[in-house]
mmCIF file of all heavy atoms in Angstrom:
data_model
loop_
_atom_site.group_PDB
_atom_site.id
_atom_site.type_symbol
_atom_site.label_atom_id
_atom_site.label_comp_id
_atom_site.label_asym_id
_atom_site.label_seq_id
_atom_site.Cartn_x
_atom_site.Cartn_y
_atom_site.Cartn_z
ATOM 1 N N PRO A 45 72.055 23.390 47.121
ATOM 2 C CA PRO A 45 70.965 22.525 46.768
ATOM 3 C C PRO A 45 71.360 21.073 46.952
ATOM 4 O O PRO A 45 72.500 20.657 46.643
ATOM 5 C CB PRO A 45 70.619 22.829 45.313
ATOM 6 C CG PRO A 45 71.827 23.549 44.836
ATOM 7 C CD PRO A 45 72.579 24.110 45.970
ATOM 8 N N THR A 46 70.470 20.256 47.504
ATOM 9 C CA THR A 46 70.694 18.852 47.634
ATOM 10 C C THR A 46 69.630 18.098 46.885
ATOM 11 O O THR A 46 68.623 18.664 46.545
ATOM 12 C CB THR A 46 70.670 18.426 49.121
ATOM 13 O OG1 THR A 46 69.366 18.725 49.638
ATOM 14 C CG2 THR A 46 71.734 19.117 49.917
ATOM 15 N N HIS A 47 69.909 16.857 46.624
ATOM 16 C CA HIS A 47 68.975 16.053 45.858
ATOM 17 C C HIS A 47 68.971 14.641 46.422
ATOM 18 O O HIS A 47 70.030 14.112 46.686
ATOM 19 C CB HIS A 47 69.346 16.003 44.400
ATOM 20 C CG HIS A 47 68.312 15.311 43.610
ATOM 21 N ND1 HIS A 47 67.126 15.865 43.198
ATOM 22 C CD2 HIS A 47 68.291 14.027 43.102
ATOM 23 C CE1 HIS A 47 66.418 14.961 42.491
ATOM 24 N NE2 HIS A 47 67.148 13.821 42.456
ATOM 25 N N GLU A 48 67.806 14.078 46.588
ATOM 26 C CA GLU A 48 67.645 12.738 46.992
ATOM 27 C C GLU A 48 67.044 11.949 45.797
ATOM 28 O O GLU A 48 66.037 12.423 45.221
ATOM 29 C CB GLU A 48 66.758 12.583 48.201
ATOM 30 C CG GLU A 48 67.365 12.922 49.499
ATOM 31 C CD GLU A 48 66.477 12.620 50.651
ATOM 32 O OE1 GLU A 48 65.788 11.573 50.692
ATOM 33 O OE2 GLU A 48 66.430 13.475 51.563
ATOM 34 N N ILE A 49 67.597 10.815 45.491
ATOM 35 C CA ILE A 49 67.053 9.991 44.421
ATOM 36 C C ILE A 49 65.604 9.645 44.748
ATOM 37 O O ILE A 49 65.285 9.186 45.848
ATOM 38 C CB ILE A 49 67.891 8.713 44.187
ATOM 39 C CG1 ILE A 49 69.386 9.070 43.982
ATOM 40 C CG2 ILE A 49 67.335 7.821 43.131
ATOM 41 C CD1 ILE A 49 69.578 9.913 42.751
ATOM 42 N N GLY A 50 64.713 9.846 43.789
ATOM 43 C CA GLY A 50 63.306 9.512 43.999
ATOM 44 C C GLY A 50 62.458 10.563 44.670
ATOM 45 O O GLY A 50 61.281 10.355 44.868
ATOM 46 N N MET A 51 63.056 11.717 45.019
ATOM 47 C CA MET A 51 62.325 12.783 45.686
ATOM 48 C C MET A 51 61.191 13.363 44.815
ATOM 49 O O MET A 51 61.301 13.290 43.546
ATOM 50 C CB MET A 51 63.239 13.824 46.208
ATOM 51 C CG MET A 51 63.888 14.690 45.188
ATOM 52 S SD MET A 51 64.987 15.924 45.841
ATOM 53 C CE MET A 51 63.905 17.040 46.696
ATOM 54 N N ASP A 52 60.215 13.932 45.374
ATOM 55 C CA ASP A 52 59.114 14.560 44.653
ATOM 56 C C ASP A 52 59.645 15.856 43.963
ATOM 57 O O ASP A 52 60.186 16.723 44.667
ATOM 58 C CB ASP A 52 57.977 14.930 45.625
ATOM 59 C CG ASP A 52 56.825 15.552 44.892
ATOM 60 O OD1 ASP A 52 56.711 15.484 43.673
ATOM 61 O OD2 ASP A 52 55.994 16.150 45.634
ATOM 62 N N LEU A 53 59.542 15.927 42.660
ATOM 63 C CA LEU A 53 60.036 17.057 41.898
ATOM 64 C C LEU A 53 58.932 18.047 41.558
ATOM 65 O O LEU A 53 59.249 19.125 41.034
ATOM 66 C CB LEU A 53 60.695 16.576 40.603
ATOM 67 C CG LEU A 53 61.859 15.553 40.793
ATOM 68 C CD1 LEU A 53 62.336 15.085 39.398
ATOM 69 C CD2 LEU A 53 62.971 16.183 41.540
ATOM 70 N N SER A 54 57.653 17.680 41.866
ATOM 71 C CA SER A 54 56.562 18.535 41.423
ATOM 72 C C SER A 54 56.570 19.963 42.021
ATOM 73 O O SER A 54 55.977 20.825 41.442
ATOM 74 C CB SER A 54 55.249 17.851 41.712
ATOM 75 O OG SER A 54 55.070 17.705 43.110
ATOM 76 N N LEU A 55 57.161 20.124 43.170
ATOM 77 C CA LEU A 55 57.155 21.457 43.840
ATOM 78 C C LEU A 55 58.327 22.344 43.390
ATOM 79 O O LEU A 55 58.403 23.520 43.793
ATOM 80 C CB LEU A 55 57.111 21.298 45.336
ATOM 81 C CG LEU A 55 55.913 20.557 45.856
ATOM 82 C CD1 LEU A 55 56.024 20.370 47.368
ATOM 83 C CD2 LEU A 55 54.651 21.275 45.552
ATOM 84 N N LEU A 56 59.238 21.835 42.564
ATOM 85 C CA LEU A 56 60.414 22.590 42.160
ATOM 86 C C LEU A 56 60.150 23.398 40.923
ATOM 87 O O LEU A 56 59.415 22.922 40.012
ATOM 88 C CB LEU A 56 61.590 21.647 41.917
ATOM 89 C CG LEU A 56 62.089 20.886 43.153
ATOM 90 C CD1 LEU A 56 63.177 19.906 42.731
ATOM 91 C CD2 LEU A 56 62.515 21.763 44.274
ATOM 92 N N SER A 57 60.687 24.580 40.839
ATOM 93 C CA SER A 57 60.579 25.379 39.637
ATOM 94 C C SER A 57 61.470 24.878 38.521
ATOM 95 O O SER A 57 62.378 24.020 38.757
ATOM 96 C CB SER A 57 60.943 26.861 39.964
ATOM 97 O OG SER A 57 62.353 26.899 40.168
ATOM 98 N N VAL A 58 61.313 25.405 37.346
ATOM 99 C CA VAL A 58 62.160 25.001 36.222
ATOM 100 C C VAL A 58 63.610 25.341 36.532
ATOM 101 O O VAL A 58 64.543 24.530 36.247
ATOM 102 C CB VAL A 58 61.688 25.702 34.905
ATOM 103 C CG1 VAL A 58 62.679 25.422 33.779
ATOM 104 C CG2 VAL A 58 60.337 25.197 34.527
ATOM 105 N N ASP A 59 63.873 26.516 37.087
ATOM 106 C CA ASP A 59 65.198 26.887 37.443
ATOM 107 C C ASP A 59 65.805 25.967 38.493
ATOM 108 O O ASP A 59 66.966 25.617 38.427
ATOM 109 C CB ASP A 59 65.271 28.350 37.936
ATOM 110 C CG ASP A 59 65.017 29.356 36.798
ATOM 111 O OD1 ASP A 59 65.299 28.980 35.650
ATOM 112 O OD2 ASP A 59 64.652 30.511 37.140
ATOM 113 N N GLU A 60 65.029 25.528 39.476
ATOM 114 C CA GLU A 60 65.475 24.639 40.488
ATOM 115 C C GLU A 60 65.814 23.280 39.888
ATOM 116 O O GLU A 60 66.759 22.643 40.252
ATOM 117 C CB GLU A 60 64.490 24.494 41.611
ATOM 118 C CG GLU A 60 64.375 25.728 42.501
ATOM 119 C CD GLU A 60 63.184 25.686 43.419
ATOM 120 O OE1 GLU A 60 62.096 25.195 43.069
ATOM 121 O OE2 GLU A 60 63.376 26.076 44.610
ATOM 122 N N LEU A 61 64.967 22.837 38.940
ATOM 123 C CA LEU A 61 65.194 21.551 38.281
ATOM 124 C C LEU A 61 66.505 21.623 37.496
ATOM 125 O O LEU A 61 67.297 20.668 37.483
ATOM 126 C CB LEU A 61 63.982 21.180 37.379
ATOM 127 C CG LEU A 61 62.752 20.840 38.136
ATOM 128 C CD1 LEU A 61 61.540 20.731 37.215
ATOM 129 C CD2 LEU A 61 62.917 19.508 38.885
#
Side-chain angles (χ1 to χ4, degrees):
T46 59
H47 184 79
E48 282 186 41
I49 304 299
M51 70 182 291
D52 181 17
L53 303 175
S54 64
L55 299 176
L56 299 176
S57 69
V58 172
D59 288 339
E60 290 171 319
L61 291 169

